[in-house]
């Protein structure tokens, strides 16, 4: 009997589990559900005060998903997807959080989730082939497997700006927003950062603030969301087509979103036809703007046609020509940074109470107790909103002291950039899985599609190991090196590496600049993962109990 089978009995030792899952967001919750289905004992530790992960923390004004809710939702339970009523095309954060809570209750997940508990340390015990996991409450448990469901955008980054701690008003980070309602009515507010979080929050804050000053370092491409309430007919039409929609999103789409697949490049159409297509997608709104043509991410000349179209739209919307010019992105191809989806972002700069400050040419010098000083000018404010992003993809993992074979830490191993095989495991760290980790499509896709694929793959893998009496599993170094090279090679066939994006780690000083997600597409990636499993987990070493002892002592 394998150790996995022995601890999966009901009378397992206190403090010993088959699996510890870190995080109770969408990944951690579904992981728990699947592992329970295998009859395994599982403990989930969650730092937040409730389930929901990114949707628990990102409560800033205007926060909502940028993939349509009928698709940004679990597909594993047909009853769930048939019964849940999304109210809008892009549900607002409180509704997505309600959905996460509903899932936790509906599948009775809470009894295995310990909230308000951070995992601080995980050390692999080579003699026992298990992990010793220590939490912020000082307790340590033993687990055969650890699954990191820590999210890709969970480690909010505070910018290193002189004087920030001297500011006398309140400071908010969009990724760590307070739970109580924040009312900016009558206040002079500054927003620093114009990524998705800034672009979503600016129009809402502008409606409340007496004055809003937006500090922009890099102008970003943004497409109108065209958000609207969903009618019952629209929901029913979607539900009736769910089998096909979900199949397409998993197997065919590059980004896990059901939409038309482009069959031609941007330069294959004449100017008028191309413009008509962009107009149509602009009117429809949303992320699928980028799939009008099949070469926008690959060919700079093709990309320029889309980028120029959006720049023209900005100039049409924004009345002041100087402000419009500043809002027109000009230092990266469209889509090479995560494209933003907005509601009235550009039009907000027509309001008399909104000012745009270009901090690329006039950098912020310091924060004073009552103002932001940039380009020698003081902008007086009462409240400061930092929409400055995250230490993405690796940041939340790096906060945990993870020690694998021979005491090597994951941070040491990843010092020059994350190294994984398929984004799922890292050599030298047996029985440690990562959900939507670097090296997998993750942030380039509809996250829930990618989460479900990883969770299913890991669950099938654990069942395989149990059925064959394997004790430990580990990525082979050679397979990992080949995969890292492949991820890098595919990225460099695209325009993505041309932007200083968080995909590249470029937003964090001294972080190695490597394109982290796998850009080959979710359908292709799923086939690769399935192929690896079909070949008995090719590229992974599976170790039986006695063998494991030999590896540990060698
Ligand atoms: O963060 P970002 P985000 N001084 O890193 C600026 C997802 N998301 O939270 O570009 C001044 O994109 C920085 O400037 P620059 C989505 O995947 C989804 O907005 O580095 N400025 C940039 O403008 C998204 O991509 C939704 O020059 C500083 C901004 O801050 C990801 O999360 C909603 C600075 C940071 O932009 C991250 O988005 C929200 C400094 N020291 C987020 N440091 C949905 O719609 C940084 N900046 C689902």
């Amino acid at each position: 009997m394998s150790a996995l089978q022995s601890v999966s009995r009901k009378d397992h030792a206190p403090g010993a589990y088959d699996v510890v899952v870190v995080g109770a967001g969408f990944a951690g919750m579904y992981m728990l559900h699947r592992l329970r289905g295998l009859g395994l004992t599982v403990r989930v530790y969650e730092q937040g005060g409730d389930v929901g992960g990114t949707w628990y923390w990102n409560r800033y004004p205007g926060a909502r998903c940028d993939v349509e809710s009928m698709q940004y939702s679990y597909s594993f339970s047909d009853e769930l997807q048939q019964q849940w009523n999304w109210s809008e095309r892009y549900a607002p954060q409180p509704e997505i959080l309600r959905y996460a809570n509903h899932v936790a209750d509906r599948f009775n997940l809470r009894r295995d989730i310990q909230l308000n508990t951070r995992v601080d340390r995980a050390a692999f015990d080579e003699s026992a082939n298990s992990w010793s996991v220590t939490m912020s409450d000082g307790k340590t448990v033993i687990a055969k497997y650890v699954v990191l469901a820590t999210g890709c955008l969970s480690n909010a980054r505070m910018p290193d700006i002189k004087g920030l701690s001297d500011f006398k008003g309140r400071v908010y980070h969009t990724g760590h927003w307070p739970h109580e309602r924040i009312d900016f009515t009558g206040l002079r507010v500054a927003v620093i950062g114009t990524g998705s979080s800034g672009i979503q929050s600016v129009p809402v804050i502008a409606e409340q603030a007496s004055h809003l000053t937006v500090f922009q370092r890099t102008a970003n491409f943004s497409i109108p969301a065209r958000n609207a309430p969903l009618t019952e007919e629209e929901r029913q039409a979607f539900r009736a087509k769910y089998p096909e929609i979900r199949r397409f999103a998993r197997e065919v789409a590059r980004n896990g979103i059901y939409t038309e697949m482009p069959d031609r490049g941007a330069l294959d159409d004449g100017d008028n036809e191309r413009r008509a297509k962009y107009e149509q997608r602009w009117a429809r709104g949303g992320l699928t703007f980028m799939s009008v043509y099949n070469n926008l991410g690959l060919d700079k000349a093709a990309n320029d046609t889309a980028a120029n179209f959006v720049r023209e739209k900005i100039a049409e919307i924004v009345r002041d020509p100087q402000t419009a010019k500043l809002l027109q992105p000009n230092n990266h191809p469209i889509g090479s940074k995560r494209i933003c989806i907005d509601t009235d972002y550009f039009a907000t700069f027509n309001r008399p109470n909104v000012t745009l400050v270009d901090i690329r040419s006039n950098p912020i010098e310091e924060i004073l107790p009552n103002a932001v000083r940039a380009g020698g000018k003081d902008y007086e404010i009462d409240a400061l909103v930092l929409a400055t992003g995250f230490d993405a993809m690796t940041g939340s993992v790096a906060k945990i002291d993870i020690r694998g074979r021979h005491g090597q830490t994951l941070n040491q191993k990843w010092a020059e950039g994350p190294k994984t095989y398929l984004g799922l495991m890292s050599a030298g760290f047996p029985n440690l899985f990562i959900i939507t980790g670097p090296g997998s499509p993750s942030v380039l896709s509809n996250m829930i599609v990618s989460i479900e694929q990883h969770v299913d793959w890991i669950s099938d893998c654990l069942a395989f190991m149990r059925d064959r009496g394997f004790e430990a599993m580990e990525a082979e170094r050679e397979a990992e090196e080949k995969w890292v090279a492949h991820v890098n090679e595919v990225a460099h066939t695209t325009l993505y590496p041309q932007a200083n994006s968080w995909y590249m780690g470029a937003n964090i000083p001294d972080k190695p600049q490597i394109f982290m997600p796998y850009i080959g597409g979710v359908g292709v990636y799923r086939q690769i993962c399935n192929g690896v499993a079909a070949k008995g987990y090719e590229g992974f070493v599976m170790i039986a109990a006695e063998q494991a002892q030999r590896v540990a002592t060698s």
Side-chain angles (χ1 to χ4, degrees):
M1 182 188 282
S2 76
L4 181 65
Q5 285 165 305
S6 69
V7 286
S8 41
R9 291 197 311 253
K10 278 217 170 79
D11 57 347
H12 70 97
Y17 300 96
D18 292 322
V19 189
V20 157
V21 176
V22 189
F26 281 92
M29 288 202 294
Y30 180 45
M31 190 78 247
L32 169 59
H33 178 68
R34 282 298 317 266
L35 293 173
R36 268 201 200 151
L38 292 177
L40 302 180
T41 57
V42 188
R43 193 73 180 150
V44 182
Y45 295 100
E46 166 56 54
Q47 183 173 354
D50 212 336
V51 299
T54 198
W55 299 105
Y56 174 83
W57 298 106
N58 285 266
R59 296 161 180 260
Y60 58 84
R64 55 179 76 242
C65 51
D66 60 2
V67 173
E68 294 185 32
S69 292
M70 294 299 293
Q71 299 204 55
Y72 187 83
S73 46
Y74 286 123
S75 69
F76 71 85
S77 159
D78 194 44
E79 291 77 25
L80 174 66
Q81 68 182 6
Q82 294 296 335
Q83 288 168 10
W84 180 264
N85 280 325
W86 291 109
S87 67
E88 296 177 46
R89 186 177 175 193
Y90 301 97
Q93 173 271 336
E95 186 172 338
I96 304 173
L97 192 57
R98 271 203 303 284
Y99 173 75
N101 276 273
H102 170 80
V103 170
D105 295 332
R106 183 177 187 129
F107 297 96
N108 198 13
L109 301 177
R110 293 187 192 276
R111 64 186 150 89
D112 291 322
I113 301 175
Q114 185 172 323
L115 300 170
N116 299 305
T117 310
R118 200 180 57 240
V119 169
D120 284 338
R121 189 166 192 272
F124 187 66
D125 178 345
E126 297 187 52
S127 60
N129 281 303
S130 61
W131 286 87
S132 165
V133 183
T134 306
M135 272 67 61
S136 49
D137 62 7
K139 297 211 174 81
T140 296
V141 298
I142 304 299
K144 199 84 218 146
Y145 297 95
V146 172
V147 179
L148 300 174
T150 41
C152 295
L153 294 157
S154 320
N155 191 9
R157 184 178 140 65
M158 293 299 279
D160 188 12
I161 303 177
K162 187 177 157 199
L164 184 55
S165 57
D166 299 331
F167 182 63
K168 289 280 180 276
R170 285 192 68 178
V171 178
Y172 307 93
H173 192 294
T174 47
H176 220 113
W177 201 262
H179 286 215
E180 72 271 16
R181 189 171 172 274
I182 304 301
D183 185 359
F184 292 111
T185 304
L187 299 184
R188 295 165 301 175
V189 183
V191 172
I192 300 179
T194 51
S196 302
S197 305
I199 282 178
Q200 283 188 333
S201 57
V202 157
V204 184
I205 296 174
E207 282 178 10
Q208 296 174 359
S210 64
H211 197 89
L212 172 64
T213 310
V214 180
F215 292 87
Q216 171 189 277
R217 190 163 68 183
T218 306
N220 242 317
F221 289 101
S222 188
I223 307 297
R226 311 282 182 214
N227 188 37
L230 278 174
T231 63
E232 189 50 28
E233 291 70 42
E234 284 169 325
R235 278 194 293 264
Q236 282 306 347
F238 230 97
R239 286 176 183 141
K241 271 177 75 181
Y242 255 142
E244 171 54 13
I245 288 171
R246 299 301 201 183
R247 184 200 65 77
F248 185 96
R250 289 186 195 116
E251 294 174 15
V252 183
R254 289 181 69 80
N255 58 5
I257 299 174
Y258 177 77
T259 188
E260 304 96 316
M261 292 289 272
D263 59 356
R264 55 204 284 120
L267 305 178
D268 297 334
D269 281 336
D271 287 351
N272 291 344
E273 203 174 341
R274 191 168 51 235
R275 182 156 191 104
K277 284 186 183 167
Y278 287 143
E279 286 285 4
Q280 192 201 15
R281 288 293 173 111
W282 181 267
R284 189 203 289 181
L287 285 179
T288 57
F289 180 84
M290 287 304 290
S291 37
V292 182
Y293 291 112
N294 60 17
N295 60 349
L296 295 184
L298 301 172
D299 179 325
K300 182 66 171 53
N303 186 285
D304 284 343
T305 64
N308 286 337
F309 175 84
V310 175
R311 283 191 278 262
E312 282 168 33
K313 284 287 176 198
I314 296 169
E316 277 171 27
I317 298 168
V318 180
R319 283 189 219 113
D320 173 47
Q322 209 186 335
T323 306
K325 195 160 174 35
L326 286 176
L327 287 167
Q328 289 171 325
N330 57 19
N331 73 350
H332 61 281
I334 184 169
S336 61
K337 281 185 161 211
R338 170 79 172 210
I339 203 156
C340 303
I341 303 301
D342 72 276
T343 299
D344 295 335
Y345 175 67
F346 295 115
T348 297
F349 292 90
N350 294 331
R351 294 176 65 106
N353 69 332
V354 177
T355 308
L356 180 69
V357 177
D358 168 26
I359 53 170
R360 183 158 298 277
S361 46
N362 293 300
I364 296 178
E365 288 143 40
E366 62 180 310
I367 311 272
L368 305 171
N370 65 339
V372 178
R373 177 171 292 167
K377 191 170 166 193
D378 292 352
Y379 298 87
E380 287 196 8
I381 53 164
D382 306 303
L384 176 58
V385 173
L386 301 170
T388 45
F390 303 86
D391 183 356
M393 300 207 77
T394 55
S396 50
V397 174
K399 283 212 293 208
I400 310 170
D401 179 12
I402 299 172
R403 289 169 191 263
R405 286 201 192 282
H406 316 300
Q408 186 191 32
T409 69
L410 197 61
N411 285 333
Q412 285 165 343
K413 184 175 170 199
W414 287 9
E416 283 161 20
K419 291 198 175 97
T420 66
Y421 177 38
L422 300 176
L424 281 159
M425 293 191 106
S426 194
F429 296 82
N431 293 1
L432 177 81
F433 293 95
I434 312 165
I435 299 181
T436 62
S440 74
S442 68
V443 290
L444 295 175
S445 68
N446 176 352
M447 283 301 283
I448 302 200
V449 170
S450 287
I451 283 169
E452 287 190 329
Q453 185 248 335
H454 266 184
V455 168
D456 290 342
W457 192 94
I458 293 168
S459 305
D460 292 349
C461 176
L462 295 194
F464 174 94
M465 291 177 73
R466 177 175 63 184
D467 295 348
R468 287 164 181 75
F470 287 118
E471 168 94 359
M473 170 184 185
E474 186 174 349
E476 285 173 10
R477 278 186 201 275
E478 200 189 334
E480 178 173 285
E481 275 162 28
K482 276 194 190 149
W483 182 252
V484 169
H486 175 63
V487 170
N488 198 36
E489 186 186 297
V490 179
H492 282 86
T493 61
T494 74
L495 302 175
Y496 277 77
Q498 293 188 18
N500 288 325
S501 65
W502 58 257
Y503 296 137
M504 298 284 295
N507 62 329
I508 304 294
D510 301 329
K511 187 165 173 172
Q513 293 206 18
I514 285 169
F515 194 80
M516 292 184 282
Y518 178 57
I519 208 168
V522 297
V524 170
Y525 174 77
R526 177 181 297 262
Q527 276 177 20
I528 295 171
C529 291
N530 289 349
V532 163
K535 288 184 193 150
Y537 295 90
E538 188 179 48
F540 293 97
V541 191
M542 292 278 182
I543 307 165
E546 323 75 60
Q547 230 184 326
Q549 292 298 334
R550 286 203 302 277
V551 175
T553 49
S554 65

